[in-house]
Amino acid sequence: MVIGLPSDHLRKGRTMDTKAHVLEQIASNLYKGEDDVVATLVHQALDQGMAPAKILNGGLIAGMDEVGKDFKAGDLFVPEVLIAARAMHAGMDILRPLLAEGEVPSAGKYLIGTVQGDLHDIGKNLVKMMLEGAGFETIDLGTDVKPDAFVAAVREHQPQLIGMSALLTTTMTGMKATIEGLEEAGLRDTVKIMVGGAPLTAAFAEQIGADAYAPDAATAVDVARNLMGV
Ligand code: B1M
């Protein structure tokens, strides 16, 4: 399936006679949501002797970065991002075991969930997929996540970052309760906290003591990279 309008950088037709071109083709087909083609190209790149980390960074992450930019600019919409993310997963499924063998460091460990009382997860899933596309290891706690569950998961997984999503004005308070729970457990200083969701603002994030606010999934990647100091 071909969707969306690739940016100029990705629209160029190229042959696959060099390693760089394979990476470009992976990024371009990821952008277009061509999951089968991405999988074939990832195998092809591996057959050419390319390192899994290079394929991840130069192909999959490069493609998702373009998706993020165009999503932020309003040139791509949610369904297109979801389809691109599926193509990204098709490539990741092949690379994941190889990356684990080579112990390639992840961009960071990111725990994410929708707060207590809130069942909305489309935006949260988009944020998660964009972060995975940027090389973060994500742990998804799902929806309706109580403060205690966030605290327990921080203790268990020791992430560098936590992301909380809320879509209801009535559940936004769950973010503050979670931050307080982390403070009480003595874990607040071990993590950076990012919040997002339609009813939120940067002022609200500051008011509840979060480290950052991201208005959309593409910005969430930039914010996460900033919080990691990269
Ligand atoms: Co509900 N719902 N809903 N709903 N729902 C809203 C949010 C609402 C605005 C609709 C309305 O009244 N106009 C309203 C909230 C009003 C308010 O509080 N201000 C509302 C309501 C009232 C309700 C119920 C209470 C309805 C009822 O039962 N009476 C109920 C609550 C259930 C519950 O959670 N306990 C309810 C239920 C549902 C469904 C289950 C039917 C369904 C959710 C399905 C699902 O998520 N699996 C649903 C939906 C789909 C919506 C709307 C239509 C769409 C939400 C959505 O997915 N948007 C929504 C109205 C609307 O927005 N037009 C609405 C697309 C998504 C990509 O955007 O989630 O904003 P969003 O995510 C963005 C950014 O916000 C940001 O990045 C994303 C991508 O760029 N972002 C983050 C999100 N999380 C982030 C985290 C980050 C960073 C960025 O860092 C960690």
Side-chain angles (χ1 to χ4, degrees):
M1 185 192 305
V2 176
I3 57 154
L5 278 177
S7 59
D8 289 343
H9 163 67
L10 295 177
R11 199 182 286 122
K12 291 172 193 159
R14 294 279 173 90
T15 55
M16 281 176 281
D17 55 351
T18 68
K19 289 183 177 182
H21 288 173
V22 177
L23 293 179
E24 208 170 283
Q25 290 290 321
I26 289 171
S28 166
N29 281 282
L30 182 150
Y31 185 104
K32 292 184 282 184
E34 301 277 9
D35 50 353
D36 290 344
V37 181
V38 168
T40 303
L41 287 164
V42 167
H43 280 302
Q44 191 177 319
L46 289 168
D47 289 346
Q48 288 179 4
M50 203 178 286
K54 190 165 182 189
I55 302 170
L56 174 69
N57 290 317
L60 301 181
I61 292 179
M64 276 314 270
D65 276 347
E66 288 297 318
V67 171
K69 275 184 213 153
D70 288 357
F71 177 59
K72 214 192 283 189
D75 295 333
L76 286 185
F77 299 98
V78 170
E80 290 144 343
V81 177
L82 293 175
I83 293 169
R86 190 179 62 190
M88 188 264 298
H89 280 294
M92 272 307 288
D93 287 347
I94 299 162
L95 293 183
R96 194 173 292 112
L98 304 169
L99 290 167
E101 268 171 32
E103 292 185 0
V104 173
S106 80
K109 200 189 270 191
Y110 192 104
L111 188 74
I112 189 165
T114 303
V115 295
Q116 180 168 23
D118 201 322
L119 302 176
H120 296 85
D121 66 358
I122 298 170
K124 184 263 296 171
N125 291 341
L126 269 180
V127 171
K128 177 185 148 187
M129 286 186 271
M130 292 300 295
L131 286 162
E132 286 176 351
F136 283 83
E137 177 191 350
T138 62
I139 299 148
D140 186 358
L141 301 181
T143 59
D144 188 17
V145 183
K146 294 171 186 52
D148 285 357
F150 272 110
V151 171
V154 168
R155 208 172 263 127
E156 181 185 348
H157 299 287
Q158 301 176 358
Q160 288 98 0
L161 304 171
I162 300 183
M164 287 186 272
S165 178
L167 261 285
L168 300 172
T169 44
T170 49
T171 58
M172 288 160 63
T173 49
M175 295 178 164
K176 187 163 190 281
T178 301
I179 294 173
E180 286 168 356
L182 288 165
E183 278 164 1
E184 280 162 26
L187 293 167
R188 175 64 185 91
D189 293 339
T190 67
V191 287
K192 297 283 186 197
I193 299 175
M194 181 199 299
V195 294
L200 271 76
T201 60
F204 175 78
E206 194 178 343
Q207 188 191 320
I208 63 169
D211 296 299
Y213 160 73
D216 57 62
T219 308
V221 171
D222 300 336
V223 170
R225 284 174 173 155
N226 269 342
L227 289 173
M228 290 297 295
V230 290

mmCIF file of all heavy atoms in Angstrom, residues 8 13 20 27 36 38 56 61 67 69-70 80 85 96 112 118 141 154 161-163 166 170 174 179 182 187 190 222:
data_model
loop_
_atom_site.group_PDB
_atom_site.id
_atom_site.type_symbol
_atom_site.label_atom_id
_atom_site.label_comp_id
_atom_site.label_asym_id
_atom_site.label_seq_id
_atom_site.Cartn_x
_atom_site.Cartn_y
_atom_site.Cartn_z
ATOM 1 N N ASP A 8 10.568 15.567 -0.210
ATOM 2 C CA ASP A 8 11.459 15.542 -1.370
ATOM 3 C C ASP A 8 12.613 14.570 -1.177
ATOM 4 O O ASP A 8 12.974 13.821 -2.067
ATOM 5 C CB ASP A 8 12.034 16.942 -1.618
ATOM 6 C CG ASP A 8 10.938 17.858 -2.145
ATOM 7 O OD1 ASP A 8 9.905 17.327 -2.594
ATOM 8 O OD2 ASP A 8 11.120 19.072 -2.090
ATOM 9 N N GLY A 13 13.631 8.574 -6.602
ATOM 10 C CA GLY A 13 13.783 7.156 -6.923
ATOM 11 C C GLY A 13 15.270 6.837 -7.023
ATOM 12 O O GLY A 13 16.031 7.583 -7.613
ATOM 13 N N ALA A 20 24.298 2.687 1.049
ATOM 14 C CA ALA A 20 23.571 3.910 1.402
ATOM 15 C C ALA A 20 22.199 3.908 0.754
ATOM 16 O O ALA A 20 21.210 4.338 1.357
ATOM 17 C CB ALA A 20 24.359 5.131 0.958
ATOM 18 N N ALA A 27 14.154 3.679 4.524
ATOM 19 C CA ALA A 27 13.492 4.865 5.088
ATOM 20 C C ALA A 27 12.294 5.270 4.226
ATOM 21 O O ALA A 27 11.207 5.563 4.739
ATOM 22 C CB ALA A 27 14.499 6.018 5.188
ATOM 23 N N ASP A 36 6.063 -5.088 3.976
ATOM 24 C CA ASP A 36 6.735 -6.245 3.358
ATOM 25 C C ASP A 36 8.041 -5.823 2.684
ATOM 26 O O ASP A 36 9.056 -6.523 2.768
ATOM 27 C CB ASP A 36 5.829 -6.906 2.303
ATOM 28 C CG ASP A 36 4.655 -7.610 2.968
ATOM 29 O OD1 ASP A 36 4.723 -7.833 4.196
ATOM 30 O OD2 ASP A 36 3.670 -7.913 2.267
ATOM 31 N N VAL A 38 9.870 -3.207 3.434
ATOM 32 C CA VAL A 38 10.852 -2.859 4.469
ATOM 33 C C VAL A 38 11.529 -4.131 4.979
ATOM 34 O O VAL A 38 12.766 -4.202 5.101
ATOM 35 C CB VAL A 38 10.185 -2.078 5.630
ATOM 36 C CG1 VAL A 38 11.119 -1.984 6.834
ATOM 37 C CG2 VAL A 38 9.800 -0.674 5.166
ATOM 38 N N LEU A 56 19.245 0.098 11.683
ATOM 39 C CA LEU A 56 18.281 0.726 12.591
ATOM 40 C C LEU A 56 18.357 2.254 12.484
ATOM 41 O O LEU A 56 17.345 2.926 12.246
ATOM 42 C CB LEU A 56 18.570 0.280 14.035
ATOM 43 C CG LEU A 56 17.745 0.946 15.128
ATOM 44 C CD1 LEU A 56 16.286 0.496 15.060
ATOM 45 C CD2 LEU A 56 18.301 0.637 16.512
ATOM 46 N N ILE A 61 15.071 4.402 11.844
ATOM 47 C CA ILE A 61 14.930 5.646 12.628
ATOM 48 C C ILE A 61 14.897 6.857 11.698
ATOM 49 O O ILE A 61 14.098 7.790 11.893
ATOM 50 C CB ILE A 61 16.052 5.763 13.692
ATOM 51 C CG1 ILE A 61 15.853 4.675 14.755
ATOM 52 C CG2 ILE A 61 16.059 7.147 14.343
ATOM 53 C CD1 ILE A 61 16.883 4.628 15.857
ATOM 54 N N VAL A 67 8.706 10.777 9.143
ATOM 55 C CA VAL A 67 7.276 10.651 9.451
ATOM 56 C C VAL A 67 6.913 11.663 10.535
ATOM 57 O O VAL A 67 5.919 12.391 10.429
ATOM 58 C CB VAL A 67 6.941 9.208 9.918
ATOM 59 C CG1 VAL A 67 5.516 9.114 10.455
ATOM 60 C CG2 VAL A 67 7.135 8.221 8.757
ATOM 61 N N LYS A 69 8.422 14.454 11.378
ATOM 62 C CA LYS A 69 8.488 15.844 10.902
ATOM 63 C C LYS A 69 7.227 16.205 10.107
ATOM 64 O O LYS A 69 6.634 17.263 10.298
ATOM 65 C CB LYS A 69 9.701 16.018 9.980
ATOM 66 C CG LYS A 69 10.989 16.313 10.709
ATOM 67 C CD LYS A 69 12.105 16.554 9.689
ATOM 68 C CE LYS A 69 13.427 16.052 10.263
ATOM 69 N NZ LYS A 69 14.388 15.660 9.241
ATOM 70 N N ASP A 70 6.832 15.301 9.213
ATOM 71 C CA ASP A 70 5.683 15.610 8.356
ATOM 72 C C ASP A 70 4.365 15.536 9.120
ATOM 73 O O ASP A 70 3.405 16.232 8.790
ATOM 74 C CB ASP A 70 5.682 14.683 7.128
ATOM 75 C CG ASP A 70 6.804 15.066 6.155
ATOM 76 O OD1 ASP A 70 7.505 16.065 6.426
ATOM 77 O OD2 ASP A 70 6.980 14.376 5.141
ATOM 78 N N GLU A 80 -1.802 7.386 8.692
ATOM 79 C CA GLU A 80 -0.546 7.212 7.950
ATOM 80 C C GLU A 80 0.618 6.931 8.907
ATOM 81 O O GLU A 80 1.494 6.117 8.618
ATOM 82 C CB GLU A 80 -0.265 8.464 7.116
ATOM 83 C CG GLU A 80 -1.242 8.581 5.954
ATOM 84 C CD GLU A 80 -1.624 10.009 5.648
ATOM 85 O OE1 GLU A 80 -1.409 10.884 6.503
ATOM 86 O OE2 GLU A 80 -2.162 10.240 4.549
ATOM 87 N N ALA A 85 4.307 3.126 11.274
ATOM 88 C CA ALA A 85 4.811 2.462 12.479
ATOM 89 C C ALA A 85 4.760 0.940 12.313
ATOM 90 O O ALA A 85 5.642 0.227 12.789
ATOM 91 C CB ALA A 85 3.997 2.888 13.693
ATOM 92 N N ARG A 96 15.607 -6.851 16.029
ATOM 93 C CA ARG A 96 15.627 -6.889 17.498
ATOM 94 C C ARG A 96 16.567 -7.978 18.048
ATOM 95 O O ARG A 96 17.436 -7.685 18.876
ATOM 96 C CB ARG A 96 14.204 -7.045 18.047
ATOM 97 C CG ARG A 96 14.119 -6.753 19.546
ATOM 98 C CD ARG A 96 12.692 -6.748 20.057
ATOM 99 N NE ARG A 96 11.909 -5.644 19.563
ATOM 100 C CZ ARG A 96 10.883 -5.754 18.710
ATOM 101 N NH1 ARG A 96 10.529 -6.946 18.255
ATOM 102 N NH2 ARG A 96 10.211 -4.708 18.317
ATOM 103 N N ILE A 112 5.648 4.057 29.754
ATOM 104 C CA ILE A 112 4.538 4.914 29.329
ATOM 105 C C ILE A 112 3.199 4.306 29.714
ATOM 106 O O ILE A 112 3.040 3.083 29.750
ATOM 107 C CB ILE A 112 4.607 5.183 27.801
ATOM 108 C CG1 ILE A 112 3.586 6.252 27.385
ATOM 109 C CG2 ILE A 112 4.415 3.913 26.988
ATOM 110 C CD1 ILE A 112 3.837 6.837 25.999
ATOM 111 N N ASP A 118 -8.605 6.641 32.918
ATOM 112 C CA ASP A 118 -8.637 7.086 31.523
ATOM 113 C C ASP A 118 -8.347 5.910 30.589
ATOM 114 O O ASP A 118 -7.320 5.236 30.739
ATOM 115 C CB ASP A 118 -7.572 8.179 31.339
ATOM 116 C CG ASP A 118 -7.842 9.059 30.134
ATOM 117 O OD1 ASP A 118 -8.301 8.525 29.108
ATOM 118 O OD2 ASP A 118 -7.584 10.271 30.225
ATOM 119 N N LEU A 141 2.487 0.367 29.980
ATOM 120 C CA LEU A 141 1.638 -0.114 31.082
ATOM 121 C C LEU A 141 0.165 -0.099 30.710
ATOM 122 O O LEU A 141 -0.682 -0.458 31.523
ATOM 123 C CB LEU A 141 1.869 0.745 32.335
ATOM 124 C CG LEU A 141 3.313 0.784 32.864
ATOM 125 C CD1 LEU A 141 3.380 1.640 34.119
ATOM 126 C CD2 LEU A 141 3.834 -0.615 33.145
ATOM 127 N N VAL A 154 8.327 1.589 37.967
ATOM 128 C CA VAL A 154 9.618 2.304 38.005
ATOM 129 C C VAL A 154 10.614 1.491 38.831
ATOM 130 O O VAL A 154 11.779 1.306 38.443
ATOM 131 C CB VAL A 154 9.449 3.722 38.595
ATOM 132 C CG1 VAL A 154 10.797 4.354 38.909
ATOM 133 C CG2 VAL A 154 8.661 4.602 37.622
ATOM 134 N N LEU A 161 13.042 7.488 31.753
ATOM 135 C CA LEU A 161 11.942 8.402 31.440
ATOM 136 C C LEU A 161 10.593 7.754 31.718
ATOM 137 O O LEU A 161 10.423 6.544 31.508
ATOM 138 C CB LEU A 161 11.978 8.777 29.958
ATOM 139 C CG LEU A 161 13.253 9.400 29.401
ATOM 140 C CD1 LEU A 161 13.173 9.498 27.885
ATOM 141 C CD2 LEU A 161 13.461 10.786 29.980
ATOM 142 N N ILE A 162 9.626 8.602 32.153
ATOM 143 C CA ILE A 162 8.242 8.145 32.275
ATOM 144 C C ILE A 162 7.385 9.076 31.432
ATOM 145 O O ILE A 162 7.561 10.298 31.475
ATOM 146 C CB ILE A 162 7.713 8.277 33.714
ATOM 147 C CG1 ILE A 162 8.523 7.455 34.690
ATOM 148 C CG2 ILE A 162 6.255 7.839 33.794
ATOM 149 C CD1 ILE A 162 7.961 7.536 36.100
ATOM 150 N N GLY A 163 6.437 8.510 30.704
ATOM 151 C CA GLY A 163 5.485 9.313 29.961
ATOM 152 C C GLY A 163 4.076 9.004 30.434
ATOM 153 O O GLY A 163 3.683 7.841 30.521
ATOM 154 N N ALA A 166 -3.083 11.705 29.259
ATOM 155 C CA ALA A 166 -4.458 11.868 29.762
ATOM 156 C C ALA A 166 -5.268 12.600 28.712
ATOM 157 O O ALA A 166 -4.787 13.555 28.099
ATOM 158 C CB ALA A 166 -4.466 12.648 31.074
ATOM 159 N N THR A 170 -10.880 15.267 33.780
ATOM 160 C CA THR A 170 -11.078 14.651 35.103
ATOM 161 C C THR A 170 -9.942 13.706 35.494
ATOM 162 O O THR A 170 -9.806 13.363 36.669
ATOM 163 C CB THR A 170 -12.399 13.861 35.123
ATOM 164 O OG1 THR A 170 -12.438 13.020 33.968
ATOM 165 C CG2 THR A 170 -13.598 14.782 35.140
ATOM 166 N N GLY A 174 -4.528 12.606 37.922
ATOM 167 C CA GLY A 174 -3.793 11.357 38.156
ATOM 168 C C GLY A 174 -2.301 11.525 37.918
ATOM 169 O O GLY A 174 -1.481 10.783 38.476
ATOM 170 N N ILE A 179 3.147 11.615 40.388
ATOM 171 C CA ILE A 179 4.408 12.280 40.747
ATOM 172 C C ILE A 179 4.585 12.278 42.272
ATOM 173 O O ILE A 179 5.675 11.991 42.787
ATOM 174 C CB ILE A 179 4.453 13.717 40.167
ATOM 175 C CG1 ILE A 179 4.505 13.643 38.634
ATOM 176 C CG2 ILE A 179 5.646 14.494 40.715
ATOM 177 C CD1 ILE A 179 4.393 14.974 37.911
ATOM 178 N N LEU A 182 5.678 8.907 43.385
ATOM 179 C CA LEU A 182 7.109 8.668 43.140
ATOM 180 C C LEU A 182 7.953 9.387 44.184
ATOM 181 O O LEU A 182 8.971 8.865 44.651
ATOM 182 C CB LEU A 182 7.481 9.157 41.731
ATOM 183 C CG LEU A 182 6.957 8.291 40.584
ATOM 184 C CD1 LEU A 182 7.055 9.030 39.255
ATOM 185 C CD2 LEU A 182 7.720 6.973 40.503
ATOM 186 N N LEU A 187 11.595 7.845 44.598
ATOM 187 C CA LEU A 187 12.043 7.513 43.240
ATOM 188 C C LEU A 187 11.993 8.696 42.277
ATOM 189 O O LEU A 187 12.410 8.577 41.121
ATOM 190 C CB LEU A 187 11.159 6.378 42.666
ATOM 191 C CG LEU A 187 11.284 5.023 43.349
ATOM 192 C CD1 LEU A 187 10.154 4.095 42.900
ATOM 193 C CD2 LEU A 187 12.633 4.400 43.033
ATOM 194 N N THR A 190 14.987 9.660 40.256
ATOM 195 C CA THR A 190 15.623 8.647 39.396
ATOM 196 C C THR A 190 15.095 8.714 37.961
ATOM 197 O O THR A 190 15.623 8.041 37.082
ATOM 198 C CB THR A 190 15.358 7.215 39.926
ATOM 199 O OG1 THR A 190 13.959 6.906 39.791
ATOM 200 C CG2 THR A 190 15.774 7.081 41.384
ATOM 201 N N ASP A 222 11.518 14.511 20.330
ATOM 202 C CA ASP A 222 12.502 15.585 20.571
ATOM 203 C C ASP A 222 12.667 15.823 22.072
ATOM 204 O O ASP A 222 13.779 15.993 22.578
ATOM 205 C CB ASP A 222 12.046 16.905 19.921
ATOM 206 C CG ASP A 222 11.870 16.772 18.414
ATOM 207 O OD1 ASP A 222 12.502 15.880 17.834
ATOM 208 O OD2 ASP A 222 11.089 17.557 17.831
#
